[in-house]
């Protein structure tokens, strides 16, 4: 008799981790036919295989779990030592269970061998070419059980791919999840093939799809022999992957003017392989003007039109001169997203195409002719869209270091105590909670002076304490945000002030007034009329760390003015002597300050102004790329300016590199006429944008990005979010041009607000619609198929279903809100 060790129930619970089918006994192998690491490795001598649901709709996991003989688990735990007792559940779960997102990329298949042996096989997506996992069923497993397991696996893959119930699928629809490949290699080491076999024979396991296609992984494009273009749609017959095809092109509108026309190779990003695949060796890519401030990108050959898309910021354009390539996204009318790569013959060809594409994009965004801006501003815009030179030296070693750091502490916080709902009424059994106020979390204000965070939800504010072991602990609930005359309101913006004792609030429908809440009493105690004719678009502290002091004044902006607000003034609070008002409408949108009080102001036009003080003209004007800037942050020393646009971040070095002002900041001295700061456009790779969209059906839309910050702390990371993903950029990797310098974590709900805990880059506070979470940096992962799809089994809880578990898992860093 065997007993399954039920560790997963402590971690996963049972509500959303329902096991759909199980094969109770077998052996799990990792088979590497072409690897010098060894041919076959027995991972679990006795194991069970099952398919289970996750907390995310249409997402399923294939789970293989070790099975112990009676008493074996306890003996193994004793051998590991008492010092690991605190993390015993976590370590045991990692040791005893292998989990795989049930996706068609696994090429899951079943083989019936001579006799009664039946084998389940799937690709090792993180291994080398040809590596597979094999679950060899015990002889007592009935054929009908294996057949049913295979059917459910196909149905789960169908639901994940099409985001709809498998009941809508016909038998023919499920045939695409049958993968007719070469026979599954025997798992036993005695069948190991000779090591002299050519590596080219790996194609017997992963044959190329129809025709000869070059695979471009990580932009490694190599020359190849001539072959005809691959057809748009591959047949949906047994063994073929239907979505290997490309979207149909839209008929191109009539052109007014040709901006660019160049010949290139066309490559298509395939989700299954995670690589760019050659589709056509010779296409013509054209950029044309089709109407007033409307432009069109068309890609086609003599045989067919491949792509037709409007030129907008949603292209997410990236130019990579190292590989002579242009990568971009296509969003189809059916809501799907794709990623394409054009590879040009030489740098001059790519530069001509880039000039035409950037002219179209810039004119579309700014509605100003490209010819009317100065050459240096054109160079600034063009440079921002270039992919930085990739310095691959030591990159693999560095990435391995980061991976090891992540793996070593991946679950260090899984034994944190779990907290009840965001309410003073603490009921451990309240597992069916659903918010009744119809509100969601919207903003976070992180304390600098005291370890508190404040979360705005409608007309309520939740207060959370940061514990010494980096958890969040619910402290209190300010249940009514209301004016002096008792009118409830939902704050549009909040800012901590006066040693974190006050909260400055703005009411959405009254932009000329601000309110001061005394956090000791949890009430609005002052109403300030800033100015009768000058509204407040947003406001910021007098300097980076002013909220830690008694500094009474702070800064504000209107659409065309920058000014100081002094609550001590009688009457209106705007300081007239420190008002800088522009005659033209600059459409200011965001403001930030340095530790010395230098000021950065951004606009919806996309430009940024740098001031050394109030009341004067800007020292430096940074040109617009076109997209509105919705958020702004500045490093404490003023070296780095960080702007947030909808589809990308803009990182600007404000330090001058040459001339008489060398070493000075753009806040202090103007840049020379022939110089401008070097922009770095931080964007998700087009492939990841397409995969994000594939998973969520949503385009990229970043929350205001922020540096980690703290007194005496050097900025090292940038945090933002889009949809259900938080994204952290590593500043060192960005500045050295590393490829994909960001980590991600996916949640089951959209992230509403996020910020670093003060004084560190190791912990991020995240507000979901109905949860507040402090997440460790180690929980973020490199963007892969698995991390983008998300693993919702290990922690967290869905809206309306707080995770509850016995013993030490009864309270957590995740706080479900019911306030």
């Amino acid at each position: 008799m065997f007993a399954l060790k039920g560790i997963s129930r402590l971690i996963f619970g049972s509500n959303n981790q329902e096991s759909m089918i199980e094969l109770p006994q077998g052996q799990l192998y990792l088979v590497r036919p072409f690897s010098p690491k060894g041919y076959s490795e027995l991972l679990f001598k006795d194991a069970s295989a099952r398919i289970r649901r996750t907390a995310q709709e249409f997402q399923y996991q294939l789970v293989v779990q070790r099975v112990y003989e009676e008493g074996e688990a306890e003996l193994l735990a004793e051998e590991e030592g008492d010092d690991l007792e605190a993390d015993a559940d976590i370590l045991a779960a990692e040791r005893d269970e292998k989990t795989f997102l049930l996706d068609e990329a696994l090429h899951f298949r079943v083989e019936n061998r001579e006799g009664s042996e039946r084998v389940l096989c799937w690709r090792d997506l993180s291994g080398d070419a040809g590596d597979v996992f094999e679950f060899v069923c015990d002889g007592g497993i009935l054929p009908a059980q294996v057949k049913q397991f295979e059917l459910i696996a196909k149905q789960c893959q169908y639901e994940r791919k099409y985001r709809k119930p498998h009941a809508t699928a016909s038998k023919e629809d499920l045939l695409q999840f049958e993968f007719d490949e070469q026979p599954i290699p025997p798992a036993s080491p005695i069948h190991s093939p000779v090591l002299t076999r050519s590596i080219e024979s790996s194609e017997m396991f992963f044959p190329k799809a129809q025709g000869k296609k070059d695979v471009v992984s990580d932009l490694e494009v190599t020359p190849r022999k001539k072959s005809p273009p691959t057809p748009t749609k591959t047949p949906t017959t047994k063994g073929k992957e239907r979505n290997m095809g490309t979207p149909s092109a839209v008929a191109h509108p009539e052109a007014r003017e040709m901006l660019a026309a160049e010949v290139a190779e066309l490559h298509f990003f395939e989700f299954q392989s995670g690589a760019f695949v050659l589709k056509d060796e010779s296409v013509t890519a054209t950029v044309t003007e089709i109407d007033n401030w409307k432009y069109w990108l068309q890609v086609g050959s003599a045989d067919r039109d491949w792509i037709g898309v409007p030129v907008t910021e949603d292209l997410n354009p990236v130019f990579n001169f190292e590989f002579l390539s242009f990568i971009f996204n296509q969003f189809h009318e059916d809501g799907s997203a794709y990623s394409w790569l054009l590879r040009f013959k030489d740098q001059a060809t790519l530069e001509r195409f880039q000039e035409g594409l950037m002219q179209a994009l810039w004119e579309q965004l700014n509605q100003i002719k490209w010819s009317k801006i100065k050459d240096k501003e054109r160079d600034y815009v063009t440079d921002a869209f270039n992919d930085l030179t990739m310095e691959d030296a030591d990159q693999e070693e560095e990435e391995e270091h980061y991976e090891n750091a992540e793996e070593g502490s991946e679950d260090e916080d899984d034994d944190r105590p779990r907290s009840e709902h965001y309410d003073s009424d603490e009921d451990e059994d309240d597992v069916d909670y659903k918010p009744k106020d119809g509100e969601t979390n919207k903003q976070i204000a992180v304390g600098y002076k005291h370890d508190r965070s404040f979360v705005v939800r409608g007309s309520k504010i939740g207060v959370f304490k940061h514990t010494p072991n980096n958890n969040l602990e619910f402290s209190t609930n300010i249940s009514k945000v209301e004016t002096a005359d008792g009118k409830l309101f939902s704050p549009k913006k909040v800012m901590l002030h006066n040693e974190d004792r006050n909260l400055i609030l703005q009411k959405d429908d009254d932009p000329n007034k601000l309110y001061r809440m005394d956090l000791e009493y949890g009430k609005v105690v002052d109403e300030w009329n800033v100015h009768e004719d000058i509204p407040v678009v947003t406001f910021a502290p007098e300097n980076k760390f002013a909220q830690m002091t008694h500094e009474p004044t702070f800064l504000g902006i209107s659409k065309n003015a920058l000014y100081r607000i002094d609550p001590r003034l009688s009457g209106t609070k705007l300081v007239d002597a420190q008002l800088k008002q522009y005659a033209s409408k600059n459409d200011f949108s965001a403001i930030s300050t340095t530790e010395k009080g230098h000021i950065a102001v951004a606009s919806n036009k996309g430009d940024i102004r740098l001031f050394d003080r109030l009341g004067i003209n800007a020292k430096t004007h940074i040109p617009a790329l076109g997209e509105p800037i919705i958020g702004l942050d500045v490093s404490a020393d003023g070296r780095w300016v960080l702007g947030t646009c909808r589809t990308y971040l803009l990182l600007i070095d404000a330090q001058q590199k040459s001339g008489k002002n060398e070493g000075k900041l753009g806040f202090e001295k103007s840049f020379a006429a022939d110089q401008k700061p070097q922009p770095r456009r931080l964007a998700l790779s087009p492939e990841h944008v397409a995969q994000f969209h594939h998973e969520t059906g949503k385009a990229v839309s970043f929350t205001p990005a922020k540096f980690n910050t703290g007194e005496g702390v050097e900025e090292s990371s940038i945090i933002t979010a889009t949809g259900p993903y938080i994204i952290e950029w590593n500043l060192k990797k960005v500045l050295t041009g590393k490829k994909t310098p960001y980590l991600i974590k996916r949640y089951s709900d959209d992230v509403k607000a996020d910020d670093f805990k003060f004084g560190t880059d190791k912990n991020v506070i995240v507000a979901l619609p109905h949860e507040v979470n402090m997440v460790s940096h180690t929980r973020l992962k490199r963007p892969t198929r698995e991390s983008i799809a998300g693993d919702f089994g290990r922690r967290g809880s869905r809206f309306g279903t707080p995770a509850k578990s016995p013993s030490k898992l009864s309270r957590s860093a995740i706080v479900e809100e019911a306030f």
Side-chain angles (χ1 to χ4, degrees):
M1 293 291 293
F2 293 91
L4 181 64
K5 188 175 177 67
I7 290 173
S8 66
R9 290 188 178 87
L10 290 176
I11 298 177
F12 298 103
S14 59
N15 290 343
N16 299 313
Q17 309 305 322
E18 176 185 346
S19 181
M20 302 167 65
I21 188 170
E22 182 175 9
L23 300 177
Q25 201 161 326
Q27 294 180 323
L28 179 66
Y29 293 86
L30 174 59
V31 181
R32 307 183 184 96
F34 314 112
S35 174
K37 301 175 184 176
Y39 173 76
S40 179
E41 179 183 355
L42 177 60
L43 301 180
F44 298 158
K45 181 179 68 174
D46 297 297
S48 68
R50 67 183 189 274
I51 296 173
R52 72 180 178 202
R53 304 178 191 276
T54 71
Q56 183 77 0
E57 190 176 21
F58 305 133
Q59 307 280 359
Y60 302 88
Q61 292 174 330
L62 171 63
V63 181
V64 182
Q65 192 168 28
R66 188 195 303 269
V67 176
Y68 289 99
E69 293 186 18
E70 294 288 354
E72 183 183 357
E74 290 74 12
L75 180 61
L76 183 60
E78 291 176 6
E79 292 174 353
E80 289 180 341
D82 296 335
D83 58 325
L84 299 179
E85 182 177 356
D87 293 321
D89 287 346
I90 303 303
L91 293 173
E94 294 176 344
R95 180 191 63 209
D96 300 338
E97 184 174 279
K98 301 291 183 184
T99 304
F100 310 89
L101 180 68
L102 202 45
D103 182 271
E104 61 183 322
L106 292 179
H107 279 213
F108 178 86
R109 57 198 191 278
V110 175
E111 183 175 276
N112 295 314
R113 293 176 176 166
E114 292 183 6
S116 60
E117 188 175 69
R118 294 169 181 84
V119 180
L120 281 58
C121 177
W122 59 96
R123 290 179 174 180
D124 177 8
L125 298 180
S126 61
D128 298 326
D131 291 3
V132 292
F133 289 98
E134 296 184 23
F135 182 83
V136 181
C137 297
D138 185 80
I141 302 295
L142 299 176
Q145 290 177 278
V146 178
K147 188 174 182 180
Q148 183 67 14
F149 194 98
E150 182 181 18
L151 174 62
I152 291 176
K154 292 177 184 177
Q155 293 170 343
C156 292
Q157 293 173 76
Y158 176 89
E159 291 196 7
R160 168 168 164 74
K161 180 175 179 178
Y162 294 105
R163 300 294 192 277
K164 58 184 178 180
H166 69 267
T168 64
S170 65
K171 290 183 179 180
E172 290 72 22
D173 290 330
L174 296 181
L175 289 178
Q176 65 186 292
F177 304 108
E178 293 188 9
F179 303 99
D180 284 348
E181 305 185 6
Q182 295 294 325
I184 297 172
S188 172
I190 64 173
H191 297 292
S192 176
V194 293
L195 294 179
T196 57
R197 179 185 296 178
S198 168
I199 193 66
E200 292 179 357
S201 63
S202 64
E203 290 185 15
M204 65 182 286
F205 292 97
F206 303 119
K208 293 183 179 181
Q210 299 168 319
K212 295 180 180 180
K213 298 192 293 182
D214 250 359
V215 174
V216 186
S217 181
D218 292 332
L219 303 183
E220 294 180 2
V221 189
T222 55
R224 39 158 284 121
K225 296 179 181 180
K226 283 280 185 180
S227 63
T230 306
T232 303
K233 294 184 179 179
T234 57
T236 58
T237 54
K238 183 177 180 179
K240 301 297 181 183
E241 296 182 67
R242 184 164 64 188
N243 73 340
M244 292 283 280
T246 57
S248 57
V250 178
H252 51 85
E254 183 177 351
R256 285 184 177 181
E257 181 184 354
M258 182 75 68
L259 303 183
E262 302 294 344
V263 176
E265 289 179 355
L266 179 64
H267 300 257
F268 177 69
F269 183 79
E270 288 185 344
F271 294 112
Q272 290 82 3
S273 63
F276 283 97
V277 176
L278 181 66
K279 286 296 181 181
D280 201 321
E281 288 187 328
S282 181
V283 297
T284 300
T286 62
V287 180
T288 58
E289 181 182 6
I290 59 173
D291 204 345
N292 294 334
W293 314 120
K294 293 183 180 179
Y295 303 86
W296 192 261
L297 170 63
Q298 192 77 24
V299 180
S301 64
D303 300 324
R304 60 166 290 175
D305 281 338
W306 285 99
I307 307 164
V309 291
V311 177
T312 69
E313 64 270 25
D314 286 325
L315 283 177
N316 297 297
V318 174
F319 292 91
N320 187 293
F321 279 85
E322 183 179 0
F323 297 102
L324 300 177
S325 60
F326 167 59
I327 313 171
F328 62 99
N329 286 122
Q330 176 189 11
F331 293 91
H332 205 258
E333 57 187 9
D334 65 2
S336 53
Y338 306 92
S339 187
W340 296 90
L341 180 149
L342 289 169
R343 184 174 184 248
F344 299 87
K345 65 178 181 179
D346 54 37
Q347 181 167 329
T349 305
L350 176 56
E351 286 178 348
R352 290 194 303 269
F353 180 80
Q354 182 189 41
E355 176 77 11
L357 193 283
M358 292 313 304
Q359 175 181 343
L361 183 60
W362 195 88
E363 290 183 2
Q364 185 267 330
L365 290 169
N366 294 277
Q367 297 193 4
I368 299 174
K369 282 297 181 181
W370 184 249
S371 59
K372 292 186 176 181
I373 65 173
K374 299 176 181 178
D375 288 344
K376 64 179 181 180
E377 293 190 8
R378 290 188 205 173
D379 293 341
Y380 172 87
V381 172
T382 302
D383 289 346
F385 284 86
N386 287 342
D387 200 7
L388 299 176
T389 301
M390 297 179 185
E391 299 178 4
D392 290 323
D394 301 324
Q395 179 174 337
E396 185 174 335
E397 180 180 347
E398 182 178 347
E399 288 184 352
E400 183 178 353
H401 167 75
Y402 276 94
E403 286 177 18
N404 291 340
E406 292 167 16
E407 291 171 2
S409 54
E410 176 180 357
D411 292 303
E412 65 182 0
D413 59 345
D414 274 4
D415 62 348
R416 294 174 178 177
R418 187 169 298 276
S419 168
E420 293 87 9
H421 308 322
Y422 189 140
D423 200 350
S424 57
D425 181 14
E426 300 182 353
D427 185 354
E428 287 285 340
D429 298 323
D430 185 13
V431 298
D432 295 321
Y433 159 71
K434 289 186 180 181
K436 299 176 182 179
D437 56 8
E439 297 287 353
T440 59
N441 298 328
K442 294 181 179 178
Q443 299 177 61
I444 294 176
V446 176
Y448 287 9
K449 184 71 173 181
H450 306 291
D451 283 334
R452 296 289 188 276
S453 284
F454 301 82
V455 179
V456 178
R457 177 190 181 92
S459 59
K460 304 179 179 68
I461 297 175
V463 185
F464 296 89
K465 179 182 178 182
H466 307 168
T467 66
N469 57 343
N470 294 319
N471 293 338
L472 286 182
E473 182 179 288
F474 175 68
S475 179
T476 189
N477 170 32
I478 300 171
S479 59
K480 291 182 179 182
V481 178
E482 57 185 3
T483 61
D485 56 0
K487 292 181 180 179
L488 289 174
F489 69 95
S490 176
K492 174 186 175 183
K493 177 178 171 59
V494 299
M495 182 185 76
L496 286 164
H497 190 59
N498 189 24
E499 293 189 320
D500 290 351
R501 295 177 179 177
N502 299 152
L503 200 60
I504 309 302
L505 314 169
Q506 185 176 29
K507 192 177 176 184
D508 195 19
D509 59 357
D510 197 351
N512 296 74
K513 291 182 180 179
L514 296 175
Y515 300 84
R516 179 175 72 91
M517 173 178 282
D518 188 322
L519 291 173
E520 183 177 353
Y521 296 99
K523 293 182 178 181
V524 172
V525 294
D526 280 321
E527 179 179 308
W528 300 327
N529 186 11
V530 177
H531 197 280
E532 294 297 335
D533 302 316
I534 301 177
V536 180
V537 168
T538 189
F539 45 96
E542 192 273 340
N543 62 67
K544 187 81 171 178
F545 304 119
Q547 73 180 67
M548 303 179 70
T549 72
H550 289 292
E551 171 60 47
T553 70
F554 53 99
L555 309 182
I557 56 172
S558 68
K559 290 294 185 182
N560 66 329
L562 168 64
Y563 47 82
R564 183 178 302 279
I565 300 170
D566 189 345
R568 298 169 298 181
L569 297 177
S570 60
T572 56
K573 308 301 181 182
L574 189 149
V575 181
D576 292 329
Q578 292 184 302
L579 166 65
K580 174 59 182 177
Q581 194 161 13
Y582 292 83
S584 59
K585 293 184 178 179
N586 291 306
D587 205 6
F588 291 147
S589 58
I591 181 174
S592 186
T593 53
T594 71
E595 186 173 11
K596 291 183 177 180
H598 296 153
I599 308 159
V601 179
S603 79
N604 284 318
K605 295 179 179 180
D607 58 348
I608 299 173
R609 287 173 169 82
L610 307 182
F611 301 82
D612 68 341
R613 61 187 186 277
L614 284 172
I616 63 170
N617 290 330
K619 294 292 185 182
T620 299
H621 177 238
I622 300 173
L625 296 185
E627 279 199 53
I629 294 179
I630 61 173
L632 193 64
D633 197 10
V634 184
S635 61
D637 63 3
R639 171 76 184 272
W640 301 103
V641 179
L642 179 65
T644 305
C645 301
R646 182 175 66 86
T647 60
Y648 61 86
L649 311 181
L650 191 62
L651 181 66
I652 299 165
D653 187 349
Q655 188 178 68
Q656 302 187 46
K657 302 299 187 295
S658 61
K660 65 179 182 179
N661 294 325
E662 182 178 356
K664 293 289 186 179
L665 298 174
F667 293 96
E668 303 166 315
K669 296 289 183 179
S670 299
F671 278 78
D674 59 345
Q675 296 181 13
K676 278 294 177 188
Q678 174 67 41
R680 287 175 170 85
R681 180 178 173 273
L682 309 185
L684 302 176
S685 73
E687 311 93 90
H688 293 153
V689 170
Q691 290 180 76
F692 278 30
H693 193 281
H694 176 73
E695 289 292 331
T696 66
K698 299 174 182 176
V700 170
S701 183
F702 286 126
T703 59
K706 300 179 181 69
F707 292 113
N708 66 293
T709 192
E711 288 189 306
V713 173
E714 184 178 356
E715 289 80 0
S716 57
S717 301
I718 296 167
I719 195 71
T720 185
T722 176
Y725 301 95
I726 56 173
I727 298 121
E728 181 185 294
W729 265 271
N730 180 291
L731 194 56
K732 180 180 178 181
K733 286 187 175 184
V734 168
L735 300 180
T736 54
K738 300 298 183 184
K739 182 176 58 180
T740 316
Y742 51 85
L743 303 174
I744 70 168
K745 177 176 173 58
R746 181 177 178 178
Y747 288 91
S748 57
D749 284 310
D750 285 353
V751 177
K752 296 297 185 180
D754 51 279
D755 200 354
F756 286 106
K757 179 183 175 183
F758 183 71
T760 182
D761 66 349
K762 303 302 182 186
N763 299 96
V764 179
I765 301 166
V766 180
L768 304 177
H770 308 292
E771 298 175 10
V772 184
N773 185 356
M774 184 181 288
V775 61
S776 168
H777 163 84
T778 59
R779 304 292 298 177
L780 278 66
K781 303 297 178 187
R782 288 194 303 161
T784 63
R785 288 180 57 86
E786 291 288 334
S787 62
I788 290 173
D791 181 2
F792 304 105
R794 297 300 299 268
R795 29 187 307 111
S797 52
R798 293 196 302 173
F799 164 67
T801 315
K804 295 283 183 179
S805 302
S807 185
K808 64 181 181 181
L809 295 182
S810 61
R811 297 178 64 90
S812 158
I814 293 181
V815 180
E816 294 275 353
E817 300 171 344
F819 65 109

